[in-house]
């Protein structure tokens, strides 16, 4: 979408039609050296960019960063961005809708490196001045180009298996990117930095969502005092620890309401709420519907 909200053909890709029409959960696009990238824009899908050659600048959330060959980064939905100062800039993009992939976001979140690369890095990009942008080796770029051509080949076939097979290719792609990111962090000896430690905290919270999860426990995982942890958490995550934890529990409850037939009491217990009444109160406050109303609208088993 443009900054005014009108749909745009992102960088002129013919394959974007399949994404926009709902015939595919994802698409690919390549920008070659002679192309000039468009004006500031935003879109409602996720975009993964790999810089192949040349250099330029990438504007994101009002900040400008230099980009060079191998730089690989994510642009989440809704974020205005722009490329400029192109000097033989060549890049490839992978774009997709997570909700249309054959594996749920909950399962993808459990992949080591997923939260760090796809969520924490863009969320804290201005704080760390793009220092955690992943830089791929020539061998890793070749792997990414192979994914690009496999997805492109399927898009050209226009067959009935398009949706599921391209979805599986994107899942494989995302897992591969997570592994590359983990390797890049180890190679750069950044395993103990704030972003990596925060990722460890988020892994801990997701794995123990049914438990009380006090701030003191999270601070111990982070390796800091409670007061220092709270300050760093709010700075990186842009919300307090308590707000994040409630929203995390509500998201888990939302997914269970859509995808299971468990009772409200069971869902409350598995999501870490003290009882179903408190879940109902927080759920209605967050989503404007009671859990029952939400389930009736979104779960085919109850609709």
């Amino acid at each position: 979408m443009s900054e005014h909200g009108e749909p745009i053909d992102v960088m002129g890709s013919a394959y974007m039609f399949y994404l926009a029409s709902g015939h595919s959960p994802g698409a690919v696009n390549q920008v070659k050296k002679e192309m000039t990238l468009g004006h500031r824009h935003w879109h409602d899908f996720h975009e993964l960019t790999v810089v192949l050659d040349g250099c330029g600048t990438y504007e994101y959330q009002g900040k400008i960063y230099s980009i060079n060959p191998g730089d690989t980064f994510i642009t989440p939905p809704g974020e205005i961005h722009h490329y400029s100062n192109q000097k033989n800039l060549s890049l490839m993009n992978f774009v997709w809708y997570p909700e249309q992939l054959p594996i749920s976001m909950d399962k993808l979140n459990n992949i080591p490196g997923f939260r760090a690369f796809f969520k924490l890095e863009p969320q804290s990009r201005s704080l760390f001045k793009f220092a955690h942008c992943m830089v791929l080796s020539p061998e890793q770029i070749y792997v990414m180009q192979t994914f690009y051509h496999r997805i492109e080949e399927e898009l050209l076939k226009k067959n009935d298996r398009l949706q599921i097979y391209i979805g599986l290719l994107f899942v494989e792609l995302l897992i591969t990117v997570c592994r590359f990111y983990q390797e890049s962090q180890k190679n750069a000896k950044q395993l103990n930095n704030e972003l990596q430690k925060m990722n460890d905290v988020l892994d801990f919270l997701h794995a123990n969502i049914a438990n009380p999860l006090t701030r003191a426990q999270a601070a111990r995982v982070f390796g800091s005092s409670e007061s220092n942890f709270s300050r760093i958490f709010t700075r990186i995550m842009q919300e307090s620890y308590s707000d994040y934890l409630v929203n995390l529990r509500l998201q888990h409850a939302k997914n269970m309401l859509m995808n299971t037939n468990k009772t409200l009491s069971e869902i409350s217990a598995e999501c870490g709420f003290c009882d179903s009444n408190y879940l109902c109160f927080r759920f209605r406050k967050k989503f404007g519907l009671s859990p029952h109303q939400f389930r009736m609208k979104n779960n085919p088993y109850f609709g």
Side-chain angles (χ1 to χ4, degrees):
M1 304 284 285
S2 76
E3 57 188 321
H4 302 294
E6 300 91 358
I8 62 170
D9 183 6
V10 178
M11 301 176 208
S13 170
Y15 306 118
M16 292 300 295
F17 165 77
Y18 301 108
L19 185 75
S21 65
H23 290 99
S24 172
V28 292
N29 177 71
Q30 187 162 348
V31 176
K32 299 180 180 179
K33 295 180 181 181
E34 67 274 10
M35 294 180 179
T36 301
L37 299 179
H39 57 273
R40 291 176 182 85
H41 65 280
W42 62 273
H43 37 65
D44 59 355
F45 45 76
H46 291 253
E47 179 178 74
L48 174 69
T49 299
V50 181
V51 180
L52 300 174
D53 199 5
C55 62
T57 56
Y58 168 65
E59 180 181 327
Y60 177 80
Q61 293 182 327
K63 303 288 185 180
I64 297 176
Y65 309 97
S66 297
I67 53 174
N68 296 284
D71 286 351
T72 302
F73 50 91
I74 186 76
T75 302
E79 301 293 352
I80 296 175
H81 57 287
H82 179 229
Y83 296 91
S84 58
N85 300 319
Q86 296 172 232
K87 294 181 180 178
N88 295 319
L89 183 64
S90 175
L91 53 83
M92 59 183 177
N93 291 312
F94 300 85
V95 299
W96 71 96
Y97 289 111
E99 64 275 10
Q100 294 183 14
L101 298 181
I103 293 181
S104 70
M105 287 300 296
D106 279 348
K107 292 182 179 179
L108 289 175
N109 278 329
N110 292 328
I111 300 170
F114 185 88
R115 274 187 289 272
F117 179 74
F118 289 97
K119 295 185 178 180
L120 286 179
E121 191 282 321
Q123 193 165 5
S124 59
R125 190 168 285 166
S126 62
L127 293 174
F128 296 104
K129 305 185 188 303
F130 219 25
H132 299 283
C133 166
M134 178 167 57
V135 181
L136 298 182
S137 68
E139 293 78 15
Q140 291 170 330
I141 290 177
Y142 176 79
V143 172
M144 298 297 285
Q145 288 175 314
T146 301
F147 272 111
Y148 184 99
H149 293 307
R150 289 171 67 192
I151 293 169
E152 182 181 47
E153 182 180 353
E154 291 304 314
L155 285 166
L156 288 171
K157 290 179 181 177
K158 306 178 186 179
N159 61 37
D160 294 338
R161 298 189 301 275
L162 184 69
Q163 181 98 7
I164 184 65
Y165 188 57
I166 291 181
L168 291 171
L169 282 173
F170 266 91
V171 170
E172 185 182 354
L173 168 72
L174 299 184
I175 293 171
T176 301
V177 169
C178 291
R179 289 175 176 169
F180 287 166
Y181 187 72
Q182 288 289 89
E183 291 172 13
S184 72
Q185 295 300 285
K186 291 177 182 177
N187 293 338
K189 298 181 179 180
Q190 294 173 337
L191 208 55
N192 294 319
N193 62 29
E194 287 183 354
L195 198 64
Q196 185 61 46
K197 290 193 291 183
M198 190 58 69
N199 185 61
D200 293 340
V201 170
L202 299 187
D203 284 345
F204 171 76
L205 298 182
H206 280 259
N208 296 278
I209 192 66
N211 300 323
L213 295 174
T214 65
R215 184 179 282 102
Q217 289 175 303
R220 282 196 293 272
V221 173
F222 189 81
S224 174
S225 66
E226 283 189 58
S227 58
N228 189 50
F229 167 73
S230 294
R231 177 181 59 79
I232 295 172
F233 190 96
T234 301
R235 177 165 60 88
I236 293 178
M237 302 304 297
Q238 300 176 22
E239 62 181 331
S240 69
Y241 173 79
S242 58
D243 286 345
Y244 178 87
L245 186 56
V246 169
N247 288 331
L248 176 63
R249 297 189 194 282
L250 287 172
Q251 192 58 52
H252 274 256
K254 185 178 178 182
N255 290 336
M256 293 182 72
L257 287 166
M258 286 192 296
N259 299 304
T260 76
N261 61 357
K262 291 185 177 182
T263 67
L264 205 54
S265 294
E266 290 173 324
I267 292 175
S268 299
E270 292 188 30
C271 294
F273 288 100
C274 56
D275 58 47
S276 59
N277 289 329
Y278 185 59
L279 167 59
C280 290
F281 169 74
R282 296 308 299 243
F283 196 95
R284 184 183 287 276
K285 186 177 180 180
K286 174 74 174 179
F287 301 114
L289 295 171
S290 70
H292 176 73
Q293 290 170 326
F294 177 83
R295 171 172 262 175
M296 293 298 290
K297 287 184 64 175
N298 295 280
N299 189 326
Y301 181 83
F302 289 88

